[in-house]
Amino acid sequence: GIQVEQSPPDLILQEGANSTLRCNFSDSVNNLQWFHQNPWGQLINLFYIPSGTKQNGRLSATTVATERYSLLYISSSQTTDSGVYFCAVGATNAGKSTFGDGTTLTVKP
Amino acid sequence: EAEVAQSPRYKITEKSQAVAFWCDPISGHATLYWYRQILGQGPELLVQFQDESVVDDSQLPKDRFSAERLKGVDSTLKIQPAELGDSAMYLCASSSVPQGRGEQYFGPGTRLTVT
Protein backbone atom coordinates (compact mmCIF):
# COMPACT_ATOMS: atom_id res chain seq x y z
CA GLY A 1 0.00 0.00 0.00
CA ILE A 2 0.88 3.67 -0.11
CA GLN A 3 3.55 4.93 2.30
CA VAL A 4 3.07 8.28 4.05
CA GLU A 5 5.94 10.05 5.82
CA GLN A 6 5.57 13.25 7.83
CA SER A 7 8.41 15.48 8.91
CA PRO A 8 9.62 16.65 11.27
CA PRO A 9 8.22 14.28 13.90
CA ASP A 10 8.51 16.99 16.57
CA LEU A 11 8.71 20.76 16.33
CA ILE A 12 9.10 23.32 19.12
CA LEU A 13 8.53 27.00 18.37
CA GLN A 14 8.26 30.30 20.16
CA GLU A 15 4.96 32.09 19.82
CA GLY A 16 4.96 34.25 16.70
CA ALA A 17 7.31 32.05 14.68
CA ASN A 18 6.45 30.47 11.33
CA SER A 19 6.67 26.75 10.51
CA THR A 20 6.41 24.31 7.62
CA LEU A 21 5.22 20.73 8.01
CA ARG A 22 5.80 18.21 5.23
CA CYS A 23 3.93 15.12 4.04
CA ASN A 24 5.58 12.81 1.49
CA PHE A 25 3.71 9.95 -0.14
CA SER A 26 4.81 7.08 -2.34
CA ASP A 27 2.07 6.85 -4.97
CA SER A 28 -0.32 8.99 -6.97
CA VAL A 29 -3.27 10.25 -4.92
CA ASN A 30 -6.76 11.58 -5.50
CA ASN A 31 -7.42 12.56 -1.89
CA LEU A 32 -5.34 14.43 0.70
CA GLN A 33 -6.42 16.01 3.95
CA TRP A 34 -4.61 17.83 6.76
CA PHE A 35 -5.94 17.51 10.31
CA HIS A 36 -5.11 19.01 13.71
CA GLN A 37 -5.67 16.66 16.65
CA ASN A 38 -6.53 18.57 19.79
CA PRO A 39 -5.53 17.50 23.32
CA TRP A 40 -8.86 15.66 23.71
CA GLY A 41 -8.17 13.55 20.64
CA GLN A 42 -10.61 15.12 18.21
CA LEU A 43 -9.39 15.43 14.61
CA ILE A 44 -10.17 18.88 13.25
CA ASN A 45 -10.31 19.34 9.48
CA LEU A 46 -7.82 21.91 8.23
CA PHE A 47 -7.65 21.38 4.46
CA TYR A 48 -8.95 19.04 1.81
CA ILE A 49 -6.23 19.53 -0.82
CA PRO A 50 -5.48 16.74 -3.33
CA SER A 51 -3.75 19.38 -5.47
CA GLY A 52 -3.06 23.10 -5.57
CA THR A 53 -2.88 25.72 -2.84
CA LYS A 54 -5.39 26.86 -0.23
CA GLN A 55 -5.29 29.41 2.56
CA ASN A 56 -7.36 29.84 5.70
CA GLY A 57 -6.25 32.68 7.94
CA ARG A 58 -2.77 31.98 9.29
CA LEU A 59 -2.71 28.51 7.76
CA SER A 60 -2.08 27.55 4.18
CA ALA A 61 -1.35 24.31 2.35
CA THR A 62 0.14 23.28 -0.96
CA THR A 63 0.04 19.87 -2.62
CA VAL A 64 2.29 19.05 -5.57
CA ALA A 65 0.78 15.74 -6.56
CA THR A 66 3.22 15.13 -9.44
CA GLU A 67 6.13 15.32 -6.97
CA ARG A 68 4.24 13.42 -4.25
CA TYR A 69 4.33 15.87 -1.37
CA SER A 70 2.19 18.34 0.51
CA LEU A 71 3.20 21.21 2.79
CA LEU A 72 1.30 22.84 5.64
CA TYR A 73 2.39 26.37 6.56
CA ILE A 74 1.59 27.95 9.91
CA SER A 75 2.41 31.64 10.25
CA SER A 76 2.59 33.72 13.43
CA SER A 77 2.07 30.62 15.56
CA GLN A 78 0.00 30.76 18.75
CA THR A 79 0.00 28.48 21.79
CA THR A 80 -3.39 27.18 20.67
CA ASP A 81 -1.73 25.79 17.54
CA SER A 82 -0.02 23.17 19.70
CA GLY A 83 -1.00 19.57 19.06
CA VAL A 84 -0.45 16.85 16.50
CA TYR A 85 -0.86 17.51 12.78
CA PHE A 86 -1.72 14.60 10.50
CA CYS A 87 -1.92 14.23 6.77
CA ALA A 88 -4.13 11.50 5.32
CA VAL A 89 -3.82 10.45 1.70
CA GLY A 90 -5.91 8.29 -0.60
CA ALA A 91 -4.07 6.47 -3.35
CA THR A 92 -5.66 6.74 -6.77
CA ASN A 93 -6.10 2.97 -7.07
CA ALA A 94 -7.23 2.41 -3.49
CA GLY A 95 -10.54 3.02 -1.82
CA LYS A 96 -9.31 4.31 1.51
CA SER A 97 -7.09 6.88 3.20
CA THR A 98 -3.77 6.22 4.92
CA PHE A 99 -2.51 8.47 7.71
CA GLY A 100 1.05 9.49 8.47
CA ASP A 101 2.37 9.29 12.02
CA GLY A 102 1.97 13.02 12.53
CA THR A 103 4.06 16.03 13.53
CA THR A 104 3.82 17.10 17.17
CA LEU A 105 3.94 20.89 17.38
CA THR A 106 4.62 22.69 20.66
CA VAL A 107 4.30 26.48 20.68
CA LYS A 108 5.82 28.13 23.75
CA PRO A 109 4.64 31.52 25.05
CA GLU B 1 -23.15 22.63 12.10
CA ALA B 2 -23.60 18.89 11.51
CA GLU B 3 -21.27 16.65 13.48
CA VAL B 4 -20.40 12.99 13.85
CA ALA B 5 -21.58 11.68 17.22
CA GLN B 6 -19.87 8.92 19.19
CA SER B 7 -20.52 7.28 22.53
CA PRO B 8 -19.27 6.58 25.05
CA ARG B 9 -16.40 9.08 25.15
CA TYR B 10 -14.44 6.96 27.61
CA LYS B 11 -14.64 3.27 28.46
CA ILE B 12 -12.70 1.21 30.97
CA THR B 13 -13.17 -2.53 30.81
CA GLU B 14 -11.44 -5.65 32.06
CA LYS B 15 -9.80 -8.03 29.64
CA SER B 16 -12.05 -10.81 28.37
CA GLN B 17 -15.13 -8.56 28.69
CA ALA B 18 -17.25 -7.39 25.77
CA VAL B 19 -17.36 -3.71 24.79
CA ALA B 20 -19.33 -1.78 22.18
CA PHE B 21 -18.99 1.66 20.61
CA TRP B 22 -21.65 3.62 18.78
CA CYS B 23 -21.37 6.15 15.94
CA ASP B 24 -23.96 8.38 14.27
CA PRO B 25 -22.59 9.99 11.07
CA ILE B 26 -23.49 13.33 9.59
CA SER B 27 -26.98 13.13 8.13
CA GLY B 28 -26.92 12.04 4.51
CA HIS B 29 -23.38 10.67 4.58
CA ALA B 30 -23.48 7.20 3.04
CA THR B 31 -19.84 6.35 3.77
CA LEU B 32 -18.80 5.53 7.33
CA TYR B 33 -15.36 4.60 8.65
CA TRP B 34 -14.07 3.13 11.92
CA TYR B 35 -10.41 3.83 12.77
CA ARG B 36 -8.21 2.74 15.66
CA GLN B 37 -5.48 5.07 16.89
CA ILE B 38 -2.72 3.75 19.14
CA LEU B 39 -0.89 6.36 21.20
CA GLY B 40 1.85 8.04 19.17
CA GLN B 41 0.60 6.79 15.82
CA GLY B 42 -1.79 7.91 13.12
CA PRO B 43 -5.29 6.40 12.85
CA GLU B 44 -5.56 3.06 11.07
CA LEU B 45 -8.67 2.04 9.15
CA LEU B 46 -10.54 -0.93 10.64
CA VAL B 47 -13.70 -1.02 8.52
CA GLN B 48 -15.42 1.03 5.83
CA PHE B 49 -19.16 0.97 5.08
CA GLN B 50 -21.00 2.19 2.02
CA ASP B 51 -24.61 2.45 3.18
CA GLU B 52 -25.16 -0.84 5.04
CA SER B 53 -22.49 -2.81 3.14
CA VAL B 54 -18.92 -3.44 4.25
CA VAL B 55 -16.54 -2.41 1.46
CA ASP B 56 -13.23 -2.84 3.34
CA ASP B 57 -12.58 -4.77 6.54
CA SER B 58 -9.15 -6.09 5.63
CA GLN B 59 -7.56 -4.69 8.84
CA LEU B 60 -10.37 -5.71 11.18
CA PRO B 61 -9.34 -8.54 13.59
CA LYS B 62 -12.40 -10.60 12.79
CA ASP B 63 -11.81 -13.19 15.51
CA ARG B 64 -12.78 -10.61 18.15
CA PHE B 65 -14.05 -7.48 16.36
CA SER B 66 -17.37 -7.03 14.58
CA ALA B 67 -19.05 -4.03 13.00
CA GLU B 68 -22.52 -3.43 11.69
CA ARG B 69 -24.57 -0.67 10.10
CA LEU B 70 -27.93 -2.36 9.78
CA LYS B 71 -30.02 0.46 8.35
CA GLY B 72 -27.21 2.32 6.67
CA VAL B 73 -27.24 5.13 9.21
CA ASP B 74 -25.66 4.63 12.64
CA SER B 75 -23.08 1.95 13.33
CA THR B 76 -21.79 -0.22 16.19
CA LEU B 77 -18.28 -1.60 16.64
CA LYS B 78 -17.94 -4.48 19.09
CA ILE B 79 -14.95 -6.19 20.70
CA GLN B 80 -15.39 -9.58 22.36
CA PRO B 81 -13.32 -10.51 24.26
CA ALA B 82 -11.26 -7.38 24.87
CA GLU B 83 -7.49 -7.76 25.22
CA LEU B 84 -4.92 -5.46 26.82
CA GLY B 85 -3.60 -4.54 23.36
CA ASP B 86 -6.99 -3.14 22.36
CA SER B 87 -6.42 -0.07 24.53
CA ALA B 88 -6.59 2.80 22.03
CA MET B 89 -8.74 5.62 20.69
CA TYR B 90 -11.54 4.44 18.40
CA LEU B 91 -12.56 7.07 15.88
CA CYS B 92 -15.57 7.19 13.58
CA ALA B 93 -15.68 9.31 10.43
CA SER B 94 -18.18 9.91 7.67
CA SER B 95 -18.14 11.27 4.14
CA SER B 96 -20.62 12.13 1.40
CA VAL B 97 -18.22 10.70 -1.20
CA PRO B 98 -17.53 6.93 -1.43
CA GLN B 99 -14.37 4.85 -1.58
CA GLY B 100 -12.00 7.02 0.37
CA ARG B 101 -12.42 10.02 -1.89
CA GLY B 102 -13.72 13.31 -0.64
CA GLU B 103 -13.47 14.95 2.74
CA GLN B 104 -13.84 12.87 5.90
CA TYR B 105 -15.32 14.31 9.10
CA PHE B 106 -14.43 12.75 12.45
CA GLY B 107 -16.31 12.34 15.69
CA PRO B 108 -14.77 12.99 19.12
CA GLY B 109 -13.70 9.34 19.54
CA THR B 110 -13.99 6.73 22.28
CA ARG B 111 -10.92 6.24 24.44
CA LEU B 112 -10.78 2.57 25.51
CA THR B 113 -8.67 1.30 28.40
CA VAL B 114 -8.49 -2.45 28.95
CA THR B 115 -7.22 -3.51 32.41
Side-chain angles (χ1 to χ4, degrees), chain A residues 29-85:
Chain A
V29 300
N30 59 8
N31 187 355
L32 192 145
Q33 285 187 257
W34 281 98
F35 296 92
H36 177 211
Q37 191 164 41
N38 66 22
W40 297 272
Q42 172 111 39
L43 285 165
I44 309 299
N45 291 40
L46 297 178
F47 295 102
Y48 173 71
I49 187 166
S51 63
T53 297
K54 291 185 178 180
Q55 181 160 5
N56 184 2
R58 297 182 296 104
L59 273 61
S60 64
T62 295
T63 297
V64 184
T66 53
E67 298 188 17
R68 300 183 181 173
Y69 72 88
S70 183
L71 302 174
L72 177 68
Y73 305 96
I74 305 174
S75 64
S76 304
S77 58
Q78 302 175 358
T79 56
T80 53
D81 294 331
S82 295
V84 185
Y85 290 80

Side-chain angles (χ1 to χ4, degrees), chain A residues 31 33 37 42 45 95 97, chain B residues 37 48 99-100 103-104 106:
Chain A
N31 187 355
Q33 285 187 257
Q37 191 164 41
Q42 172 111 39
N45 291 40
S97 290
Chain B
Q37 185 179 20
Q48 176 182 341
Q99 294 193 332
E103 195 163 2
Q104 295 184 31
F106 281 80

